[in-house]
Amino acid sequence: MKTTTQKLQDSWVHVPENSDFPIQNLPYGIFQTEKRGASVGVAIGEQILVLEEVARLGFFDDLNIDTSVFSSSSLNNFISLGKKNWTAVRQKLTELLDSENDALQSFKTDVLVEMADAEMLLPVEIGDYTDFYSSIEHATNVGTMFRGADNALMPNWKHLPVGYHGRASSIVVSGTDIHRPKGQTLAAEADTPEFGPSKRMDFELEMAFIIGKNTELGETVSTENAEDHIFGMVVFNDWSARDIQKWEYVPLGPFLGKNFASSISPWIVTMDALEPFRVESPTQDPKPLPYLQYEGNKSYDINLSVAIAPENSEETVVCNSNFKYMYWTMAQQLTHHTVNGCNIRVGDMMASGTLSGSTPDSFASMLELSWAGQKEVPLSNGETRKFLRDGDTVVMSAHCQKGDLRVGFGEVRSKLLPSR
Amino acid sequence: MKTTTQKLQDSWVHVPENSDFPIQNLPYGIFQTEKRGASVGVAIGEQILVLEEVARLGFFDDLNIDTSVFSSSSLNNFISLGKKNWTAVRQKLTELLDSENDALQSFKTDVLVEMADAEMLLPVEIGDYTDFYSSIEHATNVGTMFRGADNALMPNWKHLPVGYHGRASSIVVSGTDIHRPKGQTLAAEADTPEFGPSKRMDFELEMAFIIGKNTELGETVSTENAEDHIFGMVVFNDWSARDIQKWEYVPLGPFLGKNFASSISPWIVTMDALEPFRVESPTQDPKPLPYLQYEGNKSYDINLSVAIAPENSEETVVCNSNFKYMYWTMAQQLTHHTVNGCNIRVGDMMASGTLSGSTPDSFASMLELSWAGQKEVPLSNGETRKFLRDGDTVVMSAHCQKGDLRVGFGEVRSKLLPSR
């Protein structure tokens, strides 16, 4: 790892100051342009490196990989090449993009596309999506609102990473507008439910990791091996209709209050790129059962923020949080998920749960920021919010910073449209 | 519809008496043999009609469909041809297999494979799997055990078809052995959980329908149009580890207690084949909200049974039930699922929930049959069961009968192996 006093490696591709996408990042995505159908790209500065063109020019020939994976409309085939090849391709790209290497540079008009000219698509085909509930601050906040401070956490919460299955079909990429969902809700003091647009539309700031290696049914992944099964991460907005959720969720969990849409950032930042930002996780007390124990630093210092931009108005940041607050690590989540033999597949997505911190300005949903609608959240245009209004754009972003080194995720930006 | 006094149409393929697969059924599946890779087949008697061979011989030429769908390893491409083409292919097969038509019969060695020589595979690629909870008897039984008779049904239960998302990756076809899962459980009166193999292994007798038509995100399917989106049905064993489920499921629902495996019957019986067996559903009181109301008969009279065969011992039927007891219809389930704009995709699977009837011999899980372990369920070999033992094979079967007309699903048969 480079120390902060060393000069960082530069690329011949221009990377603006504070860009999320320096040569140290190299996240993968699927893009298309007017001229090119869906294809694999790597973000660098404000450009996209077109991997099928890099392959066509022969720059991957010595890697002995099937380069047709780069002409695919999802990353699943590339991811399926396995961790050894992810690292080999990353190493090759790091060489090719180095400011002192002009081999690829002479073909730059062939291999680079302006981000401004490209549309980003969903980066993976998602077989299954699981949502965890792994922030102790979020679980405590929500539990306090619903059951009082003394019973905030359920008895199981500190013994296992609580999670549930979500809907894969409705995961969409940043930029996709979301319609306010309709559904059944029970008004306060009503006996019978009513039907109509949700009145308590909310976001949840989460991150998700993408599975990089299949397991067989019956197989278990240990905490020690879990990271071999994780390809990378994205920012995840788990849209929530609180009033629908509240009425429907007993006894089998959230369903229509969640499955109308979840939005993700388009670039998958690899675990290799996140390596410099490893940190300790919160101490776990009580100590979990042996199968959930692990050694080493298995969390990451990732700064997170949420902003709301009302229609025709500027953004207001309403939450600043960090991924490192999460109580259960990704390795523990994955081990728990497979301890019963449940099989996982390349492209599966596993979200963290709402990543609230301990201070009110780090609460990561409107439910918590407005304390179930009891407080107004001020915006810079003079308006306030308890929940989201039609026309609001929600912007979530994430980046790691260590000295001069910044590795970012870009953003997931989605507008809430009126109910159809 | 034929009346029971008319002679039923026969096929030139021999169909044994009481076969689930007469010419009136023609369910679709994916099979493979020693000589042929995964391919689309139709069950008739004890034979499989090989559709890619029927196509190769030109018998589908006048239908103007892309017959490459029959050479696929899943039914998704065929299903995506749409309802009009499902009916056209069914009609063509009904003609070709008729006892008085010898056009295809002269090629019978080319187009038929003995079921005994074939292995059945998972018939569809399942994007998302949803499990409903739509039997009032099951929900009341479980609610009574957990919360007492006065609070058995949650307040929402009669207002909406409660459902939750399950795991698609671990849905397997009949014949796949299942290992007893390990997991966390909380022993009675214990303060902290323990880890080990489940001690309360159970089945749940369900049926599932397969989505036949995509929707876009934001689109809603009405109860009137719902049946256009349903291709067919299978028998579904929703394996459950009750002790794991009990400890983990608050507040977000079942997870590892379910997702280690679900087993389905291999032949998808089409809605066209089930048409003669339409019946009324139970009266709904209170009347549901307008979006959930519907006209006509939207349930089906399908006889269901579960048998347990201990290792090296004969089967004992432990449950006889019927699909028609289900309180919420498939049309209502699908309408509710999409009322918030959640998109559905061809191949998605939606299970009914445990299909218990009102009498104790129709209870459709060991949890209910043994009343949470308070009663012994006798087997014909002299043994008894409260929950399943290692080595037990669970056999679920389903068929419709109206006079001489029998349309069946075959069975889903799976053996419980010891924990790994």
Side-chain angles (χ1 to χ4, degrees), chain A residues 132 134 158-162 209 221-224 226-227 230 281-284 286-295 298-299 326-339 350, chain B residues 184 255-256:
Chain A
F132 285 95
S134 290
K158 286 191 164 185
H159 294 285
L160 54 82
V162 170
F209 63 92
V221 177
S222 66
T223 53
E224 195 181 339
E227 294 180 349
I230 303 178
S281 301
T283 306
Q284 296 184 324
K287 204 167 167 176
L289 283 164
Y291 81 94
L292 288 169
Q293 295 173 15
Y294 65 92
E295 289 179 6
K298 294 214 188 278
S299 192
M326 195 163 77
Y327 188 88
W328 295 100
T329 61
M330 295 184 282
Q332 289 177 313
Q333 290 169 343
L334 187 50
T335 295
H336 183 63
H337 202 319
T338 59
V339 77
M350 302 205 177
Chain B
Q184 277 195 35
F255 186 49
L256 301 191

Side-chain angles (χ1 to χ4, degrees), chain B residues 9-188:
Chain B
Q9 184 190 7
D10 278 331
S11 174
W12 50 264
V13 180
H14 173 66
V15 176
E17 209 178 337
N18 281 325
S19 168
D20 277 353
F21 307 121
I23 190 170
Q24 291 80 11
N25 190 351
L26 305 180
Y28 293 89
I30 299 290
F31 74 98
Q32 68 183 7
T33 62
E34 276 189 14
K35 290 179 192 157
R36 184 184 303 274
S39 181
V40 174
V42 163
I44 175 92
E46 292 171 338
Q47 310 280 321
I48 298 170
L49 183 67
V50 185
L51 295 201
E52 64 180 343
E53 293 300 329
V54 179
R56 198 177 53 79
L57 292 164
F59 287 105
F60 294 136
D61 286 358
D62 55 337
L63 299 186
N64 286 314
I65 56 172
D66 173 7
T67 55
S68 74
V69 300
F70 299 125
S71 303
S72 178
S73 60
S74 85
L75 289 168
N76 295 54
N77 291 337
F78 168 60
I79 296 173
S80 295
L81 296 180
K83 190 171 182 170
K84 211 182 94 191
N85 286 314
W86 313 336
T87 302
V89 171
R90 177 179 169 79
Q91 206 159 3
K92 175 64 70 180
L93 295 177
T94 303
E95 285 166 29
L96 292 171
L97 290 167
D98 187 279
S99 53
E100 294 183 8
N101 186 335
D102 60 6
L104 186 63
Q105 195 174 357
S106 16
F107 300 98
K108 68 180 177 188
T109 53
D110 297 321
V111 298
L112 290 177
V113 163
E114 296 272 347
M115 280 185 185
D117 295 336
E119 180 190 4
M120 297 306 297
L121 305 176
L122 201 66
V124 276
E125 283 176 40
I126 305 157
D128 280 288
Y129 152 52
T130 298
D131 195 19
F132 285 95
Y133 188 57
S134 289
S135 151
I136 197 164
E137 289 81 7
H138 172 68
T140 304
N141 284 341
V142 174
T144 301
M145 280 179 233
F146 290 172
R147 292 178 297 275
D150 292 342
N151 302 299
L153 285 188
M154 290 288 187
N156 58 14
W157 200 92
K158 285 191 166 185
H159 294 285
L160 53 82
V162 170
Y164 68 104
H165 295 296
R167 181 88 190 167
S169 70
S170 53
I171 297 178
V172 294
V173 75
S174 177
T176 309
D177 295 338
I178 306 301
H179 285 270
R180 180 181 294 267
K182 291 181 183 168
Q184 277 195 35
T185 56
L186 189 71

Side-chain angles (χ1 to χ4, degrees), chain A residues 126-128 130 132-133 147 154-156 159-160 162-170 172 178 181-184 191-195 217-219 247-257 259-261 289 291-292 336-337 339-345 348 350 420, chain B residues 126-128 130 132-133 147 154-156 159-160 162-170 172 178 181-184 191-195 217-219 247-257 259-261 289 291-292 336-337 339-345 348 350 420:
Chain A
I126 304 157
D128 280 287
T130 299
F132 285 95
Y133 188 58
R147 291 179 298 274
M154 291 288 186
N156 58 16
H159 294 285
L160 54 82
V162 170
Y164 68 106
H165 296 296
R167 183 87 190 168
S169 72
S170 54
V172 295
I178 305 300
K182 290 182 183 164
Q184 277 195 35
D191 287 332
T192 54
E194 57 190 33
F195 179 75
L217 193 67
E219 188 181 342
W247 170 234
E248 75 174 356
Y249 93 105
V250 281
L252 300 180
F255 185 48
L256 301 191
N259 67 12
F260 56 92
L289 283 164
Y291 81 94
L292 288 169
H336 183 63
H337 202 319
V339 77
N340 67 344
C342 177
N343 57 327
I344 55 172
R345 296 179 295 190
D348 287 350
M350 302 205 177
R420 292 207 207 193
Chain B
I126 305 157
D128 280 288
T130 298
F132 285 95
Y133 188 57
R147 292 178 297 275
M154 290 288 187
N156 58 14
H159 294 285
L160 53 82
V162 170
Y164 68 104
H165 295 296
R167 181 88 190 167
S169 70
S170 53
V172 294
I178 306 301
K182 291 181 183 168
Q184 277 195 35
D191 289 331
T192 53
E194 57 189 32
F195 179 77
L217 194 67
E219 189 181 343
W247 170 235
E248 75 176 355
Y249 93 106
V250 283
L252 300 180
F255 186 49
L256 301 191
N259 68 12
F260 57 92
L289 282 163
Y291 80 94
L292 287 170
H336 183 65
H337 202 319
V339 78
N340 67 344
C342 178
N343 58 327
I344 53 172
R345 296 179 294 192
D348 288 350
M350 304 205 176
R420 291 207 207 193

Side-chain angles (χ1 to χ4, degrees), chain A residues 275-318:
Chain A
E275 191 59 34
F277 307 101
R278 275 187 189 270
V279 287
E280 268 188 299
S281 301
T283 306
Q284 296 184 324
D285 179 23
K287 204 167 167 176
L289 283 164
Y291 81 94
L292 288 169
Q293 295 173 15
Y294 65 92
E295 289 179 6
N297 290 344
K298 294 214 188 278
S299 192
Y300 296 86
D301 181 1
I302 308 174
N303 301 293
L304 305 168
S305 71
V306 186
I308 297 174
E311 188 99 60
N312 303 315
S313 207
E314 64 185 10
E315 295 175 18
T316 302
V317 172
V318 294

Side-chain angles (χ1 to χ4, degrees), chain A residues 356-372:
Chain A
S356 297
S358 56
T359 58
D361 62 341
S362 66
F363 290 175
S365 64
M366 293 304 291
L367 180 70
E368 293 163 271
L369 289 165
S370 76
W371 207 255

